[in-house]
């Protein structure tokens, strides 16, 4: 759920977890911010998150906002989405 989805995806994409992938039948995420917080559309949430990013030294909020790199394609979430480790299906 929520941020745990991203943490699990990042762990599965790590090379040390590659031996686990053949044993993984499915991975279900509920309410995971796979697109980050870039498209939330909630002004109050955006203002609060912006304030927290400005005051915080942690990387998580910058990663969720995809502001952890100058080029969005170099951001953590973008790179995680393009690893191909976890495929989305319907």
């Amino acid at each position: 759920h929520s941020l745990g989805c991203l943490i699990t995806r990042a762990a599965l994409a790590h090379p040390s977890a590659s031996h686990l992938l053949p044993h993984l039948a499915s991975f279900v995420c509920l309410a995971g911010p796979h697109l980050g917080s870039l498209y939330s559309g909630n002004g109050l949430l955006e203002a609060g998150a912006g304030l927290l990013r400005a005051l915080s030294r942690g990387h998580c909020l910058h990663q969720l906002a995809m502001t952890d790199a100058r080029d969005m394609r170099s951001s953590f979430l973008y790179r995680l989405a393009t690893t191909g480790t976890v495929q989305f299906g319907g």
Side-chain angles (χ1 to χ4, degrees):
H1 176 262
S2 194
L3 195 55
C5 295
L6 295 179
I7 293 169
T8 303
R9 282 182 57 204
L12 290 173
H14 196 273
S16 65
S18 63
H19 69 285
L20 299 174
L21 296 178
H23 305 287
L24 182 67
S26 63
F27 170 58
V28 178
C29 289
L30 300 175
H34 298 287
L35 294 177
S37 62
L38 192 60
Y39 302 108
S40 74
N42 183 326
L44 185 60
L45 176 65
E46 290 299 320
L51 180 63
L52 285 173
R53 280 193 303 273
L55 298 175
S56 173
R57 293 183 185 189
H59 299 287
C60 179
L61 293 173
H62 290 285
Q63 290 171 339
L64 283 173
M66 299 176 90
T67 58
D68 57 319
R70 289 179 190 237
D71 180 7
M72 188 182 294
R73 287 178 233 129
S74 299
S75 69
F76 173 75
L77 281 182
Y78 190 94
R79 288 183 290 119
L80 181 62
T82 57
T83 60
T85 303
V86 178
Q87 302 296 319
F88 295 95

